[in-house]
């Protein structure tokens, strides 16, 4: 398992999100970098296990273990990835804090109501997340819930 938790194994955030094309991977890198720049320890499922090595069951088990071990989940909502939606629901069912993240979120963007109701906040890109981590301040975008 390749994550960035600290020496005592503590994980602040499980970082959920799609990473299957260059745009998705770039967005995930921004999200992870902001968290790491603010001293947060991360479980990064995109690096935790390789399906070619451990198979689907191994990836699933590793990711469930990562969510179980993390204090909270932050999920990149771009492209409404099915795996990310599952991770949000699983973490919510465990009673873990869940946060959303989306680059360039506008009031015209749509977020599924089940996700919107499960998350404590949706951060509008790296600057908004950094501001929250530094000051605790965040201004929610009034996006469309459907």
């Amino acid at each position: 398992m390749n994550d960035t938790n600290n020496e005592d194994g503590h994980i602040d955030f499980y970082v959920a999100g799609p990473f299957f094309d260059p745009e998705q991977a770039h967005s995930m890198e921004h999200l992870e970098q902001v968290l790491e720049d603010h001293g947060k320890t991360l479980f990064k499922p995109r690096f935790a296990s390789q399906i070619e090595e451990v198979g689907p069951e191994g990836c699933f088990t590793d990711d469930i273990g990562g969510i179980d071990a993390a204090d909270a989940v932050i999920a990149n909502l771009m492209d409404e990835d099915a795996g990310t939606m599952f991770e949000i629901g699983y973490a919510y069912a465990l009673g873990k804090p869940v946060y959303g993240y989306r680059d360039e979120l506008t009031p015209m963007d749509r977020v599924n109501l089940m996700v919107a109701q499960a998350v404590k906040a949706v951060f509008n890109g790296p600057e908004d997340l950094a501001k929250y981590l530094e000051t605790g301040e965040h201004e929610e975008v009034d996006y469309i819930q459907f």
Side-chain angles (χ1 to χ4, degrees):
M1 203 175 331
N2 180 8
D3 53 9
T4 58
N5 49 333
N6 60 14
E7 293 172 13
D8 67 3
H10 178 258
I11 301 170
D12 293 310
F13 287 99
Y14 177 100
V15 186
F19 48 86
F20 306 108
D21 66 36
E23 183 182 4
Q24 292 171 341
H26 186 68
S27 183
M28 292 300 292
E29 289 165 2
H30 279 153
L31 170 56
E32 294 162 351
Q33 189 65 54
V34 170
L35 293 167
E36 289 172 335
D37 286 350
H38 289 83
K40 302 303 179 187
T41 55
L42 311 179
F43 181 94
K44 302 177 191 179
R46 66 192 188 112
F47 298 121
S49 51
Q50 297 301 315
I51 196 167
E52 301 82 16
E53 296 172 14
V54 299
E57 184 178 345
C59 286
F60 178 83
T61 300
D62 287 346
D63 291 354
I64 291 296
I67 295 170
D68 289 344
D71 292 342
V73 169
I74 187 164
N76 190 327
L77 302 178
M78 78 180 301
D79 300 334
E80 296 181 343
D81 172 66
T84 304
M85 300 303 112
F86 172 85
E87 292 160 332
I88 290 168
Y90 180 73
Y92 181 84
L94 292 176
K96 299 212 179 233
V98 182
Y99 301 91
Y101 172 92
R102 186 156 163 193
D103 290 315
E104 301 176 20
L105 183 66
T106 73
M108 298 306 294
D109 288 321
R110 299 165 60 91
V111 176
N112 179 281
L113 70 92
M114 297 299 286
V115 171
Q117 294 299 307
V119 299
K120 293 186 171 293
V122 178
F123 298 106
N124 184 8
E127 295 82 15
D128 185 34
L129 177 57
K131 178 181 175 184
Y132 178 78
L133 293 169
E134 292 163 10
T135 68
E137 295 176 13
H138 161 72
E139 188 172 327
E140 192 76 18
V141 172
D142 189 22
Y143 52 81
I144 300 166
Q145 296 185 36
F146 69 102

